[in-house]
């Protein structure tokens, strides 16, 4: 009785030590030195970004004397010594924290929501419609990215002070609108949406038009739902500057009832400066930013990888 061996390369054949498939797998495996180097680099990056946050959180639990006493040693990053929540209690006694927090939430939510709508519509027109000057308009929009806000602050202040308001008065000073409307349109958000919309197959638009859909319906029902990662990225990148606004509210808002959280830091620099209270205040206003990023980090990374780095 004779047995027939499986031919080389067949599905049932087991790769031997010298077979090409095993060599390919072995070549693809990183060496031990490279693996150690990768994890070491990642650990260093984590420490660079995490240690300042850890120092802020730990210092918010310590009195000022201990904060300065622990600086220069590893104890600055450890919750040791005189630990308490007194700094957090003092924050709520010193400033109207919930009023500032509510103002920042209102400003940020409206800026993000309206920004996604306006910037995505502009990007859709540039990416899907064909008209003369389209490339020039896109180039001008992208060119505005190099202009810092500080150079526009004074001209913008002059303009908003001359605009008519709803009640017939002149000037938008000391309102929510002056903190929201100038920041709805954003060049980087338009460019990011443009890159993402341009990667969506145009055959979807053509099929929808055959079914009788108009331009806005195609944008609202087809293109925008497919741009989830881009929307998440724009939401994060719009929320951060809206939440961190300091210079502009300081220029246009006088009443305490309309001030955002960043302006509230100035309250702790008056008279006696308490660094423990400043750290507590900073910890409280950082929580919403971290929560937003944790919720949208997967979509954020996906959008940057798929559209944000395209030429």
């Amino acid at each position: 009785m004779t047995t027939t061996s499986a031919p080389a390369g067949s599905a049932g054949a087991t790769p031997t030590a010298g077979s090409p498939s095993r060599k390919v797998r072995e070549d693809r495996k990183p060496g031990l030195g490279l693996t150690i180097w990768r994890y070491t680099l990642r650990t260093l990056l984590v420490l660079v970004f995490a240690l300042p946050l850890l120092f802020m959180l730990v210092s918010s639990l310590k009195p000022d004397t201990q904060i300065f006493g622990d600086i220069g040693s590893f104890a600055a990053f450890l919750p040791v010594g005189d630990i308490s929540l007194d700094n957090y209690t003092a924050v709520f006694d010193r400033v109207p924290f919930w009023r500032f927090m509510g103002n920042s939430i209102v400003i940020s939510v409206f800026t993000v929501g309206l920004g996604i709508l306006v910037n995505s519509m502009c990007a859709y027109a540039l990416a899907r419609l064909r008209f003369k000057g389209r490339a020039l308009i896109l180039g001008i929009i992208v060119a505005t990215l190099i202009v810092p806000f500080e150079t526009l602050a004074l001209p913008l202040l002059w303009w908003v002070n001359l605009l008519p308001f709803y009640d017939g008065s002149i000037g938008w000073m000391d309102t929510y609108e002056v903190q929201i409307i100038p920041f709805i349109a954003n060049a980087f958000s338009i460019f990011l949406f443009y890159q993402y919309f341009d990667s969506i197959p145009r055959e979807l638009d053509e099929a929808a038009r055959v079914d009788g859909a108009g331009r806005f319906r195609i944008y609202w029902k087809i293109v925008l739902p497919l741009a989830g990662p881009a929307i998440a990225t724009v939401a994060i990148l719009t929320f951060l500057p809206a939440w961190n606004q300091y210079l502009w509210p300081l220029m246009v808002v006088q009443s305490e009832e309309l001030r955002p959280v960043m302006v509230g830091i100035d309250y702790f620099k008056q008279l006696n400066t308490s660094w423990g209270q400043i750290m507590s205040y900073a910890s409280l206003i950082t929580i919403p930013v971290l929560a937003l990023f944790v919720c949208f980090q997967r979509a954020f990374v996906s959008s940057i990888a798929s559209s944000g780095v395209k030429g």
Side-chain angles (χ1 to χ4, degrees):
M1 182 176 181
T2 60
T3 57
T4 305
S5 59
S10 64
T14 303
T16 60
S19 63
S21 59
R22 184 177 183 119
K23 288 182 179 179
V24 169
R25 287 198 298 268
E26 289 178 351
D27 291 341
R28 288 179 179 175
K29 292 177 63 177
L32 179 60
L34 182 59
T35 302
I36 294 175
W37 167 249
R38 286 178 178 176
Y39 279 99
T40 301
L41 182 60
R42 292 174 183 176
T43 303
L44 290 176
L45 289 175
V46 169
L47 291 176
V48 167
F49 290 102
L51 284 180
L53 291 175
L54 181 60
F55 175 79
M56 177 183 68
L57 292 173
V58 171
S59 298
S60 68
L61 303 173
K62 299 178 180 180
D64 289 357
T65 54
Q66 186 173 346
I67 292 175
F68 290 106
D70 291 341
I71 289 179
S73 66
F74 196 69
F77 303 99
L78 299 177
V80 295
D82 188 7
I83 302 299
S84 69
L85 297 176
D86 292 344
N87 290 327
Y88 288 92
T89 304
V91 165
F92 294 100
D93 294 336
R94 193 162 182 175
V95 299
F97 175 79
W98 293 116
R99 168 56 93 179
F100 292 164
M101 178 70 78
N103 290 337
S104 286
I105 291 175
V106 170
I107 294 168
S108 300
V109 168
F110 275 93
T111 303
V112 170
L114 294 174
I116 290 175
L117 180 64
V118 171
N119 295 319
S120 62
M121 291 179 67
C122 179
Y124 175 80
L126 292 172
R128 314 300 270 196
L129 305 183
R130 299 300 179 187
F131 56 89
K132 291 184 178 180
R134 183 176 64 92
L136 177 62
I137 294 174
L138 180 61
I140 294 174
I141 291 174
V142 174
T144 60
L145 291 172
I146 66 175
V147 182
F149 174 74
E150 287 74 13
T151 62
L152 304 175
L154 289 179
L156 186 61
L157 179 65
W158 182 77
W159 274 110
V160 298
N161 200 36
L162 296 178
L163 292 174
F165 203 58
Y166 308 118
D167 57 1
S169 61
I170 300 298
W172 288 15
M173 305 294 286
D174 212 23
T175 62
Y176 281 120
E177 288 79 1
V178 76
Q179 302 180 71
I180 297 172
I181 294 178
F183 304 98
I184 291 175
N186 182 273
F188 184 77
S189 298
I190 294 174
F191 180 69
L192 187 62
F193 272 125
Y194 171 84
Q195 291 284 80
Y196 205 92
F197 290 165
D198 196 45
S199 67
I200 297 176
R202 299 182 184 275
E203 288 77 8
L204 297 176
D205 297 27
E206 297 172 0
R209 296 188 69 179
V210 169
D211 292 337
R215 287 292 186 184
F216 183 80
R217 189 175 181 182
I218 294 173
Y219 154 78
W220 188 254
K221 294 291 186 179
I222 298 176
V223 177
L224 196 61
L226 294 176
I231 292 174
T233 303
V234 169
I236 292 176
L237 296 180
T238 305
F239 179 86
L240 290 177
W243 187 264
N244 293 329
Q245 278 191 46
Y246 175 78
L247 176 62
W248 184 246
L250 205 62
M251 296 171 62
V252 300
V253 177
Q254 288 80 39
S255 60
E256 186 177 81
E257 291 76 16
L258 297 174
R259 289 174 178 166
V261 290
M262 288 301 165
V263 178
I265 294 180
D266 286 346
Y267 283 64
F268 298 94
K269 301 176 183 178
Q270 301 170 1
L271 300 178
N272 55 332
T273 301
S274 175
W275 291 103
Q277 294 176 19
I278 291 177
M279 293 298 178
S280 301
Y281 187 81
S283 300
L284 290 172
I285 65 179
T286 302
I287 292 174
V289 178
L290 294 178
L292 181 71
F293 181 76
V294 169
C295 292
F296 293 103
Q297 63 174 336
R298 188 184 299 273
F300 177 78
V301 174
S302 174
S303 177
I304 292 297
S306 60
S307 66
V309 298
K310 291 172 61 178

